[in-house]
Amino acid sequence: MNTKWSLDELYASFKADDFKGDMEKVGKLIEDFKEWAERSLQSLENKEEKIEYTIRANVKLTEIFTKLITYCFLVTSTDARNETALSTAEKLQVMYNELTEPTVRFEKWLTTIEDLDAVIGSSPLIEEHSYYLKKIVENSKYLLGEELESLIAKMTNSGSRAWAKLQNMLLSTLLVEIEQEGELEKLPLPVIRNMAYDADADIRKKAYDAELKAYNKIEESSAACLNGIKGEAITVAGLRGYTSPLDEALLKSRMDRQALDAMLEAMKESLPDFHKYFGKKGQILGHKKGLPFYDMFAPIGSEDMTFTYEEAKNYIVKSFRTFSDKLADYTQNAFDKRWIDAYPRDGKQGGAFCSNIHPIGESRILANFDGSFYNVSTLAHELGHGYHGYCLKDESILNSSYPMPIAETASIFCETIIKNAAIKDATPEQAFGILERSISDSAQVIVDIYSRFLFESELFERRTDCALSVNELKDAMVRAQKKAYGDGLDHDYLHPYMWVNKTHYYQADRNFYNFPYAFGLLFANGVYAEYLRRGSEFVPEYDKLLNSTGIKDIADVTKMVNIDVHSVEFWRNSLKLVKEDIDKFISIADQV
């Protein structure tokens, strides 16, 4: 099986005729729209025709631009040094920034239509995009003038985007020195970080020490990147009238503060349960002062389930088929048609992601597969994202964008299917190991995410006055970890550099890219509970829920499965499911 993804469905190369043709098309479409907007948006005459023209133009432009920029992104994600991809992506961003002025002009023009509801009802095309249009009006109060918005868009190319590219290059090319079998080797950072899951305690500790030491090489550059990006985010959010970057993040997430506060309250209440879990895991591993960070992902019990890539594929497809043939068939297709890039290598980005490519109705998944059950679960997670995109493939591309909190629903739902299938197939010792891994994953999404939320909150508060030094960033991260993890972790062994390797911190348009993961886990728990209650009749409702995520606010999506995200009790009930697992884990551990 070929384990590198195929990008030919997008383009064969940067020299291909269709790639060069689409580059030319994008340029012409942008110029045409600029000229049309300047000429036509002077009055409200023929407003229905003007809205229809704008929708069609945006659909065509967005589809072609998405293909081009995604191709560049996917190439650089597996080859960080590819100069052609890097320079082409920059050219595309410069070209796309030319759309800012006419787009702002249209959005301001749209707000002047007093009978917008009547206009929406006058045309099937406009009605199809009613949510998209109403969101434009709703968010218009945060728009600046056309010239200023255009200037900001252009400045980001040499500002936050340039800093982000530098940070990605630093991480993707960082080689970590580590001694193995008496010889010093230089390995990519993702390989070193994967050692945190190794069964050998010495390897875990050695990898932790080597990782922290390696960050010394890039800490100053990373701090400069982070300060530059967050400084820009603060400035732009203030100019637009947001009360804070968090306020902006919530609005972009289609989520209100009431829902966030209810979720955070329940998360904080649950922390003592997780502290007990960490303490018990530390005891099992022979630690007396809590769990050291380097053993956080240490396997417990006999979770010795290992998989070849082929076995992982078959296991995931088989497990997904217990839920629905549609999900299983999508997954089989993703493997067969080489939508997945499986193994780590030099220059390849660490971690995992799924990129849904709406214009071609496909997705591409990056993984760093090492044969562990954890990596099988990660593949299932990313395939869940892909399936979410598949459920939206027949919608207009303008109706296919969903907010981050709801984006984790399908991915965590698929993880849950795999976990439950594995526990059913496992021996008692393996089941205990899988149970522990599931709790560990939940702890990352609740406890570690909470620490990241605390860190980013402090970072924004202090960055308003001045840039933070490397030591200040490290101290802030350690304080956040102590507050979230409590006495569950050994405070002599934390991870002061977690701000370096989390790429989300370095995306100026994705501030507070942390609480959505907690939302996703807890909401997915609620959705899965609904599936268990209703069985196969729930499957079409699940697909319908995913299909609606591009045209509804989060609270309206969750109501489709009778969930009120403003209720603290809902979040508490979801967290009770994790608490039950923790209690079960501690009980079994005490009996051994």
PDB file of all heavy atoms in Angstrom, residues 26-27 69 85 92-93 100 103 122 212-213 238 292 350 372 395 407 441 448 457 509 537 574:
ATOM      1  N   VAL A  26      -7.847  32.934 -11.278  1.00  0.00           N
ATOM      2  CA  VAL A  26      -8.060  33.631 -10.005  1.00  0.00           C
ATOM      3  C   VAL A  26      -7.749  35.110 -10.157  1.00  0.00           C
ATOM      4  O   VAL A  26      -8.510  35.975  -9.707  1.00  0.00           O
ATOM      5  CB  VAL A  26      -7.195  33.007  -8.880  1.00  0.00           C
ATOM      6  CG1 VAL A  26      -7.046  33.961  -7.706  1.00  0.00           C
ATOM      7  CG2 VAL A  26      -7.817  31.722  -8.386  1.00  0.00           C
ATOM      8  N   GLY A  27      -6.635  35.410 -10.795  1.00  0.00           N
ATOM      9  CA  GLY A  27      -6.277  36.810 -11.005  1.00  0.00           C
ATOM     10  C   GLY A  27      -7.340  37.563 -11.777  1.00  0.00           C
ATOM     11  O   GLY A  27      -7.704  38.692 -11.415  1.00  0.00           O
ATOM     12  N   ILE A  69      -4.579  27.158  -2.936  1.00  0.00           N
ATOM     13  CA  ILE A  69      -3.913  27.385  -1.654  1.00  0.00           C
ATOM     14  C   ILE A  69      -3.800  26.082  -0.865  1.00  0.00           C
ATOM     15  O   ILE A  69      -2.822  25.866  -0.138  1.00  0.00           O
ATOM     16  CB  ILE A  69      -4.649  28.471  -0.831  1.00  0.00           C
ATOM     17  CG1 ILE A  69      -3.733  29.042   0.258  1.00  0.00           C
ATOM     18  CG2 ILE A  69      -5.931  27.954  -0.240  1.00  0.00           C
ATOM     19  CD1 ILE A  69      -2.581  29.857  -0.247  1.00  0.00           C
ATOM     20  N   ALA A  85       6.402  25.974  -3.320  1.00  0.00           N
ATOM     21  CA  ALA A  85       5.124  25.981  -2.604  1.00  0.00           C
ATOM     22  C   ALA A  85       5.020  27.189  -1.686  1.00  0.00           C
ATOM     23  O   ALA A  85       3.969  27.849  -1.614  1.00  0.00           O
ATOM     24  CB  ALA A  85       4.965  24.689  -1.810  1.00  0.00           C
ATOM     25  N   LEU A  92      -0.363  33.869  -3.769  1.00  0.00           N
ATOM     26  CA  LEU A  92      -1.812  33.707  -3.710  1.00  0.00           C
ATOM     27  C   LEU A  92      -2.427  34.596  -2.644  1.00  0.00           C
ATOM     28  O   LEU A  92      -3.494  35.194  -2.852  1.00  0.00           O
ATOM     29  CB  LEU A  92      -2.162  32.241  -3.447  1.00  0.00           C
ATOM     30  CG  LEU A  92      -2.074  31.316  -4.657  1.00  0.00           C
ATOM     31  CD1 LEU A  92      -2.065  29.851  -4.209  1.00  0.00           C
ATOM     32  CD2 LEU A  92      -3.248  31.569  -5.610  1.00  0.00           C
ATOM     33  N   GLN A  93      -1.772  34.682  -1.492  1.00  0.00           N
ATOM     34  CA  GLN A  93      -2.302  35.528  -0.421  1.00  0.00           C
ATOM     35  C   GLN A  93      -2.302  36.995  -0.849  1.00  0.00           C
ATOM     36  O   GLN A  93      -3.248  37.739  -0.569  1.00  0.00           O
ATOM     37  CB  GLN A  93      -1.477  35.352   0.861  1.00  0.00           C
ATOM     38  CG  GLN A  93      -1.676  34.019   1.556  1.00  0.00           C
ATOM     39  CD  GLN A  93      -3.082  33.843   2.106  1.00  0.00           C
ATOM     40  OE1 GLN A  93      -3.873  34.785   2.172  1.00  0.00           O
ATOM     41  NE2 GLN A  93      -3.416  32.619   2.483  1.00  0.00           N
ATOM     42  N   THR A 100     -10.170  42.179  -0.664  1.00  0.00           N
ATOM     43  CA  THR A 100     -10.639  42.759   0.589  1.00  0.00           C
ATOM     44  C   THR A 100     -11.488  44.001   0.356  1.00  0.00           C
ATOM     45  O   THR A 100     -12.596  44.129   0.900  1.00  0.00           O
ATOM     46  CB  THR A 100      -9.446  43.108   1.501  1.00  0.00           C
ATOM     47  OG1 THR A 100      -8.675  41.927   1.732  1.00  0.00           O
ATOM     48  CG2 THR A 100      -9.935  43.674   2.822  1.00  0.00           C
ATOM     49  N   THR A 103     -14.873  43.271  -1.304  1.00  0.00           N
ATOM     50  CA  THR A 103     -15.690  42.465  -0.396  1.00  0.00           C
ATOM     51  C   THR A 103     -16.272  43.323   0.707  1.00  0.00           C
ATOM     52  O   THR A 103     -17.463  43.215   1.041  1.00  0.00           O
ATOM     53  CB  THR A 103     -14.843  41.325   0.216  1.00  0.00           C
ATOM     54  OG1 THR A 103     -14.386  40.474  -0.840  1.00  0.00           O
ATOM     55  CG2 THR A 103     -15.666  40.512   1.197  1.00  0.00           C
ATOM     56  N   SER A 122     -36.987  36.227  -2.472  1.00  0.00           N
ATOM     57  CA  SER A 122     -37.312  36.472  -3.886  1.00  0.00           C
ATOM     58  C   SER A 122     -36.516  35.603  -4.839  1.00  0.00           C
ATOM     59  O   SER A 122     -36.801  35.584  -6.035  1.00  0.00           O
ATOM     60  CB  SER A 122     -37.046  37.948  -4.224  1.00  0.00           C
ATOM     61  OG  SER A 122     -35.653  38.229  -4.216  1.00  0.00           O
ATOM     62  N   LEU A 212      13.208  19.010  25.417  1.00  0.00           N
ATOM     63  CA  LEU A 212      13.338  20.310  26.082  1.00  0.00           C
ATOM     64  C   LEU A 212      14.670  20.979  25.730  1.00  0.00           C
ATOM     65  O   LEU A 212      14.730  22.192  25.516  1.00  0.00           O
ATOM     66  CB  LEU A 212      13.225  20.145  27.597  1.00  0.00           C
ATOM     67  CG  LEU A 212      11.871  19.676  28.150  1.00  0.00           C
ATOM     68  CD1 LEU A 212      11.835  19.837  29.656  1.00  0.00           C
ATOM     69  CD2 LEU A 212      10.700  20.413  27.518  1.00  0.00           C
ATOM     70  N   LYS A 213      15.722  20.178  25.660  1.00  0.00           N
ATOM     71  CA  LYS A 213      17.035  20.731  25.310  1.00  0.00           C
ATOM     72  C   LYS A 213      17.043  21.279  23.883  1.00  0.00           C
ATOM     73  O   LYS A 213      17.636  22.323  23.601  1.00  0.00           O
ATOM     74  CB  LYS A 213      18.102  19.653  25.463  1.00  0.00           C
ATOM     75  CG  LYS A 213      19.527  20.159  25.230  1.00  0.00           C
ATOM     76  CD  LYS A 213      20.536  19.039  25.440  1.00  0.00           C
ATOM     77  CE  LYS A 213      21.961  19.540  25.176  1.00  0.00           C
ATOM     78  NZ  LYS A 213      22.961  18.457  25.359  1.00  0.00           N
ATOM     79  N   GLY A 238      -8.747  45.290  18.505  1.00  0.00           N
ATOM     80  CA  GLY A 238      -9.128  46.582  19.080  1.00  0.00           C
ATOM     81  C   GLY A 238      -9.630  47.546  18.035  1.00  0.00           C
ATOM     82  O   GLY A 238     -10.624  48.260  18.251  1.00  0.00           O
ATOM     83  N   PRO A 292       5.245  12.759  36.676  1.00  0.00           N
ATOM     84  CA  PRO A 292       6.096  13.680  35.911  1.00  0.00           C
ATOM     85  C   PRO A 292       5.586  13.789  34.475  1.00  0.00           C
ATOM     86  O   PRO A 292       5.027  12.845  33.926  1.00  0.00           O
ATOM     87  CB  PRO A 292       7.481  13.022  35.964  1.00  0.00           C
ATOM     88  CG  PRO A 292       7.209  11.582  36.212  1.00  0.00           C
ATOM     89  CD  PRO A 292       5.941  11.504  37.001  1.00  0.00           C
ATOM     90  N   GLY A 350       4.635  17.711  12.229  1.00  0.00           N
ATOM     91  CA  GLY A 350       4.262  16.753  13.255  1.00  0.00           C
ATOM     92  C   GLY A 350       2.760  16.724  13.485  1.00  0.00           C
ATOM     93  O   GLY A 350       1.996  17.491  12.898  1.00  0.00           O
ATOM     94  N   SER A 372       0.912   2.135  16.952  1.00  0.00           N
ATOM     95  CA  SER A 372       0.256   2.009  18.258  1.00  0.00           C
ATOM     96  C   SER A 372      -1.252   2.152  18.120  1.00  0.00           C
ATOM     97  O   SER A 372      -1.758   2.711  17.140  1.00  0.00           O
ATOM     98  CB  SER A 372       0.780   3.085  19.212  1.00  0.00           C
ATOM     99  OG  SER A 372       0.390   4.377  18.768  1.00  0.00           O
ATOM    100  N   GLU A 395     -23.154  20.735  -0.675  1.00  0.00           N
ATOM    101  CA  GLU A 395     -23.610  22.079  -0.350  1.00  0.00           C
ATOM    102  C   GLU A 395     -22.769  23.116  -1.093  1.00  0.00           C
ATOM    103  O   GLU A 395     -21.644  22.835  -1.531  1.00  0.00           O
ATOM    104  CB  GLU A 395     -23.494  22.329   1.167  1.00  0.00           C
ATOM    105  CG  GLU A 395     -24.318  21.393   2.026  1.00  0.00           C
ATOM    106  CD  GLU A 395     -25.814  21.537   1.776  1.00  0.00           C
ATOM    107  OE1 GLU A 395     -26.278  22.693   1.640  1.00  0.00           O
ATOM    108  OE2 GLU A 395     -26.498  20.513   1.695  1.00  0.00           O
ATOM    109  N   ALA A 407     -16.658  21.449  14.997  1.00  0.00           N
ATOM    110  CA  ALA A 407     -15.828  20.667  14.086  1.00  0.00           C
ATOM    111  C   ALA A 407     -15.309  19.391  14.730  1.00  0.00           C
ATOM    112  O   ALA A 407     -14.992  18.420  14.036  1.00  0.00           O
ATOM    113  CB  ALA A 407     -14.646  21.509  13.609  1.00  0.00           C
ATOM    114  N   ASP A 441      -6.578  10.705  27.110  1.00  0.00           N
ATOM    115  CA  ASP A 441      -7.011  11.581  26.013  1.00  0.00           C
ATOM    116  C   ASP A 441      -7.998  12.633  26.504  1.00  0.00           C
ATOM    117  O   ASP A 441      -7.921  13.810  26.127  1.00  0.00           O
ATOM    118  CB  ASP A 441      -7.649  10.747  24.901  1.00  0.00           C
ATOM    119  CG  ASP A 441      -6.642   9.888  24.158  1.00  0.00           C
ATOM    120  OD1 ASP A 441      -5.427  10.122  24.308  1.00  0.00           O
ATOM    121  OD2 ASP A 441      -7.066   8.966  23.436  1.00  0.00           O
ATOM    122  N   ASP A 448      -5.411  19.727  30.013  1.00  0.00           N
ATOM    123  CA  ASP A 448      -4.368  20.441  29.281  1.00  0.00           C
ATOM    124  C   ASP A 448      -4.949  21.607  28.486  1.00  0.00           C
ATOM    125  O   ASP A 448      -4.338  22.676  28.413  1.00  0.00           O
ATOM    126  CB  ASP A 448      -3.606  19.495  28.347  1.00  0.00           C
ATOM    127  CG  ASP A 448      -2.266  20.080  27.945  1.00  0.00           C
ATOM    128  OD1 ASP A 448      -1.412  20.256  28.827  1.00  0.00           O
ATOM    129  OD2 ASP A 448      -2.081  20.390  26.756  1.00  0.00           O
ATOM    130  N   SER A 457      -4.814  33.344  27.862  1.00  0.00           N
ATOM    131  CA  SER A 457      -5.472  34.494  28.495  1.00  0.00           C
ATOM    132  C   SER A 457      -4.432  35.420  29.113  1.00  0.00           C
ATOM    133  O   SER A 457      -4.491  36.652  28.944  1.00  0.00           O
ATOM    134  CB  SER A 457      -6.461  34.017  29.571  1.00  0.00           C
ATOM    135  OG  SER A 457      -7.490  33.240  29.005  1.00  0.00           O
ATOM    136  N   ASP A 509      -5.468  34.284  13.062  1.00  0.00           N
ATOM    137  CA  ASP A 509      -6.915  34.238  12.880  1.00  0.00           C
ATOM    138  C   ASP A 509      -7.554  33.093  13.667  1.00  0.00           C
ATOM    139  O   ASP A 509      -8.734  32.802  13.499  1.00  0.00           O
ATOM    140  CB  ASP A 509      -7.279  34.127  11.401  1.00  0.00           C
ATOM    141  CG  ASP A 509      -6.669  32.898  10.740  1.00  0.00           C
ATOM    142  OD1 ASP A 509      -5.764  32.288  11.340  1.00  0.00           O
ATOM    143  OD2 ASP A 509      -7.092  32.557   9.623  1.00  0.00           O
ATOM    144  N   GLU A 537     -31.658   4.127  14.147  1.00  0.00           N
ATOM    145  CA  GLU A 537     -32.547   5.199  13.664  1.00  0.00           C
ATOM    146  C   GLU A 537     -31.909   6.576  13.831  1.00  0.00           C
ATOM    147  O   GLU A 537     -32.333   7.550  13.193  1.00  0.00           O
ATOM    148  CB  GLU A 537     -33.889   5.165  14.416  1.00  0.00           C
ATOM    149  CG  GLU A 537     -33.808   5.627  15.874  1.00  0.00           C
ATOM    150  CD  GLU A 537     -35.181   5.735  16.528  1.00  0.00           C
ATOM    151  OE1 GLU A 537     -35.990   4.810  16.359  1.00  0.00           O
ATOM    152  OE2 GLU A 537     -35.420   6.759  17.182  1.00  0.00           O
ATOM    153  N   SER A 574     -21.885  15.312  30.904  1.00  0.00           N
ATOM    154  CA  SER A 574     -20.893  14.773  29.971  1.00  0.00           C
ATOM    155  C   SER A 574     -19.608  14.412  30.709  1.00  0.00           C
ATOM    156  O   SER A 574     -18.990  13.377  30.442  1.00  0.00           O
ATOM    157  CB  SER A 574     -20.593  15.784  28.867  1.00  0.00           C
ATOM    158  OG  SER A 574     -21.628  15.810  27.903  1.00  0.00           O
TER     159      SER A 574
END
